[in-house]
Amino acid sequence: MLIRLMLIAFLAPSATPGDIETRAQALRADLAVNEPLQPQTPRITLERQLLISLERRRDLERVQSDAKTNADNASDTPEAPPKGLLEADDLRRKAQELDLSIDAGTRRLDIVYADRAAAAARLVQAVANVRQLEDNTAADDARLVLARLEAELAESNTAELDSIAELVELELRFQRAERGSIAKRLASAATALKPTPEEVAEIERRLSARSLDLQQRLAAAAKARDAVFDELRSKSATASPARQKALQERLTTRDTDIELIRERMSNLTIEQTAWHLAIRYWRDNDTGALVEARERGPATRDSIARRLEFMKASFDQFAAQSGALDAQFAQVPAAADAEDLHMLRDTMDERTRLIESGMLDERRVLALIDRLRADFDARIGAAAWKDRFSYTWESARRLASQIWNLELFVVDQTVDVDGRQTKVPRSVTVAKVVKAPLLLLVGLLIAFHLTRWIERYAQHRGVDAASARLTRRWTFGLLACACALSSLAIAGIPFAAFAFVGGAVAIGVGFGMQTLFKNLISGVLLLLERPFRLGDEIQVGDLRGTVVDIDLRTSVLRDADGSETLIPNSALVEQNVTARSRAVRQTLSVTVDAQSDPRKVSDTMREAVERHGLVDPSREPVVFLDEFPGAGLRFSMNYWVDTTPGTDRQRLASDLRLMILGAFNAAGIRLAQGQLDLRVHADDASKIADAVVS
């Protein structure tokens, strides 16, 4: 390899600008003399290619001189820190552009080095051919001339690639120096810059100016599109197929222009959002803006990157179509067709330029997002612990909010809109699922305390405890149903979400809950019709007792022994029920001495019984003189008692006997000698409306 490079350097010495220009003039003169007289020959082709290469080398030398001057002066750039936020952002934007240029220049330099190695190999081969022909005395002079031209062309191409490589290296050196200067200026900023009101106003002014410009461009593009459409419609019948295709492509180009302008408007909206988030974070230290930017930034960037890839594919497609049209020009027989093809190619070229401009706009937005994100990361990395804690707290709060609003599933709810049935999708989120039970729990607590207060108030107003308890249960059940429906409505969960559950419940009711619902409906009928009330004595079949509770599904009977029995409500509706009133008549008999005053005995017994609190005061006790058994007088007394739940009639009779004996002792009334017949009988009596207990 070293020998080959030394050979190249010996055979292709560095030519001065004067030598290049002298050789170029000689080639121009030779081509001017020979080209009109001779057809296209290999010699003329080589001379023409050599002339083009020499002219490129001359132009590259001028460009090299300017690039070297710029590279030498790059170190003289002042490194003053940025004075404001906009200047700092401009420096970051320029640094991004320089990074892209440096990366592209590095790749280009690698390609140039590869081409230079291939050109050097061709030069070695061309020099070897020249040496071989020169050593061969029988060789043709024309072949030797062609070989020397090929060697000279290979040498010129190699020198041209050397100049390109040197030019690229100079540009890279200048760009790296400028990039380093920008990095020093950005690093020299002592603290994080905050936007001033003037800079915020300038940002708003720039964004507004771009928005107005895009609106004007959109209006002009729409107008141009209408003009092309009118032309296509007016000439569709008379134009040639080539003209129609050209006009159709122009219409498509105008549509593409409108679509790209709208895309720029969308990008401008993204820029406005990004700048507003940045200003909130830079100026107001709002960590919520940082969290929002990190949440929305990646998705937005990916969306823009996908659109950019689509534009690249479209650009390559239209560029290939435009290149294919150039190859058709030589095959067009008529001038009119050539004109149409030219118009078609110009349309394709215009569309390619529009897409290329759109790609630049997409890259600019991506660069802005990357700059702001890098700035956010740098600032949060150097922030104090309070700012970091605030950022962590805001991130946790946003995460909790996302989980809280997470959509579990969607239910189609049918609503009536202007007399038409329309299905509206309603989402069921975690928040709704959590709020519904909480609202139900709060409603049940309120209903519990409210019904408890109603029960106490009813008892205070004289309603017996059993009736008040039953009222409380039914009221609480109704309020619980209302709370369940209200909690679903307030939480925003549609009832259609329970359609599947409702169907499953319906199946369960059909197969396993007939008895339950039959008892529930029977309980409702008992409460509405009220064939008996709490405290009434009833008999169902062989079971006899007092009704102490009526629930939704069952009722409770308490017999004379105090045992309680649960009876399904359906049995109370379907079977024969014998009811007795709570107010019953009882009879008490006593035999006193025959010498006692009958009226005094009667009054004493009546007064003693009336003092008892369970005796019905609305009905006066009645005393009868039944018979004269031997040496005594037998009296019997009928009185009424209210047999409320818990009343022990045997104990009541015992209390009355004791009260009568005490009254007899106080009045000096003696019982018959050797006899004490005191019995109580309970006879059926008619129902009374209310019972008064003193």
Side-chain angles (χ1 to χ4, degrees), residues 446-516:
I446 295 175
F448 175 78
H449 289 289
L450 179 61
T451 54
R452 188 176 181 182
W453 177 83
I454 292 175
E455 180 184 9
R456 292 178 179 177
Y457 179 77
Q459 291 179 358
H460 180 71
R461 298 291 295 179
V463 180
D464 59 276
S467 299
R469 185 172 63 254
L470 180 62
T471 303
R472 175 189 175 185
R473 288 180 181 177
W474 277 92
T475 305
F476 181 77
L478 295 175
L479 291 178
C481 294
C483 290
L485 298 177
S486 300
S487 62
L488 293 176
I490 295 175
I493 299 179
F495 297 113
F498 300 93
F500 176 77
V501 179
V505 171
I507 296 175
V509 169
F511 287 97
M513 301 181 66
Q514 301 94 328
T515 304
L516 174 61

Side-chain angles (χ1 to χ4, degrees), residues 220-234 247 250-251 254:
K223 186 176 180 180
R225 196 266 182 195
D226 294 339
V228 174
F229 179 77
D230 293 339
E231 182 180 1
L232 177 62
R233 185 173 55 182
S234 61
L247 292 176
R250 286 181 59 186
L251 183 63
R254 299 277 68 80

Side-chain angles (χ1 to χ4, degrees), residues 365-617:
V365 178
L366 288 176
L368 174 64
I369 294 176
D370 292 339
R371 290 199 309 273
L372 295 180
R373 183 168 184 175
D375 184 79
F376 288 165
D377 293 340
R379 294 196 181 204
I380 198 64
W385 68 270
K386 291 183 178 179
D387 295 333
R388 293 187 179 183
F389 176 78
S390 177
Y391 168 72
T392 304
W393 172 257
E394 185 66 23
S395 300
R397 190 183 68 82
R398 288 295 184 94
L399 178 61
S401 177
Q402 292 178 356
I403 297 175
W404 181 253
N405 296 316
L406 178 64
E407 183 179 86
L408 300 178
F409 55 91
V410 178
V411 178
D412 290 335
Q413 186 176 12
T414 303
V415 296
D416 190 357
V417 179
D418 296 334
R420 298 177 60 186
Q421 297 294 327
T422 305
K423 287 187 177 181
V424 179
R426 296 285 300 275
S427 62
V428 178
T429 61
V430 174
K432 294 180 179 180
V433 173
V434 173
K435 284 195 299 183
L438 291 178
L439 292 173
L440 178 60
L441 179 61
V442 173
L444 292 178
L445 289 176
I446 295 175
F448 175 78
H449 289 289
L450 179 61
T451 54
R452 188 176 181 182
W453 177 83
I454 292 175
E455 180 184 9
R456 292 178 179 177
Y457 179 77
Q459 291 179 358
H460 180 71
R461 298 291 295 179
V463 180
D464 59 276
S467 299
R469 185 172 63 254
L470 180 62
T471 303
R472 175 189 175 185
R473 288 180 181 177
W474 277 92
T475 305
F476 181 77
L478 295 175
L479 291 178
C481 294
C483 290
L485 298 177
S486 300
S487 62
L488 293 176
I490 295 175
I493 299 179
F495 297 113
F498 300 93
F500 176 77
V501 179
V505 171
I507 296 175
V509 169
F511 287 97
M513 301 181 66
Q514 301 94 328
T515 304
L516 174 61
F517 272 87
K518 181 171 67 174
N519 290 326
L520 291 175
I521 295 173
S522 299
V524 173
L525 293 176
L526 290 176
L527 292 173
L528 293 177
E529 296 178 357
R530 298 181 67 86
F532 50 82
R533 297 182 300 170
L534 295 178
D536 290 349
E537 187 175 345
I538 64 173
Q539 182 173 351
V540 183
D542 297 335
L543 181 61
R544 184 186 184 92
T546 304
V547 180
V548 295
D549 193 6
I550 302 177
D551 208 342
L552 292 176
R553 189 177 62 87
T554 60
S555 297
V556 181
L557 291 185
R558 181 181 297 160
D559 58 14
D561 297 333
S563 300
E564 295 183 350
T565 304
L566 296 177
I567 301 178
N569 290 332
S570 59
L572 298 176
V573 174
E574 296 173 353
Q575 299 182 16
N576 295 329
V577 178
T578 303
R580 295 174 58 92
S581 175
R582 290 187 301 174
V584 297
R585 187 183 66 182
Q586 293 183 335
T587 301
L588 186 148
S589 299
V590 62
T591 304
V592 301
D593 187 34
Q595 301 299 323
S596 301
D597 185 0
R599 295 188 180 277
K600 185 177 181 181
V601 173
S602 176
D603 295 338
T604 302
M605 291 178 64
R606 185 167 46 251
E607 292 174 359
V609 171
E610 289 177 349
R611 291 198 306 271
H612 198 284
L614 294 180
V615 176
D616 189 358

Side-chain angles (χ1 to χ4, degrees), residues 78-138:
E79 298 182 356
K83 299 180 181 179
L85 180 63
L86 283 179
E87 184 179 357
D89 183 72
D90 291 338
L91 289 176
R92 288 195 297 269
R93 176 177 53 80
K94 191 172 183 179
Q96 282 183 326
E97 295 174 354
L98 288 174
D99 290 337
L100 293 176
S101 298
I102 291 172
D103 183 65
T106 303
R107 293 197 302 269
R108 182 184 177 190
L109 189 61
D110 294 337
I111 295 174
V112 171
Y113 282 150
D115 291 343
R116 204 271 182 194
R122 290 194 299 271
L123 177 58
V124 171
Q125 183 64 36
V127 171
N129 291 335
V130 171
R131 297 299 186 194
Q132 184 179 2
L133 291 175
E134 288 178 347
D135 294 340
N136 188 2
T137 57

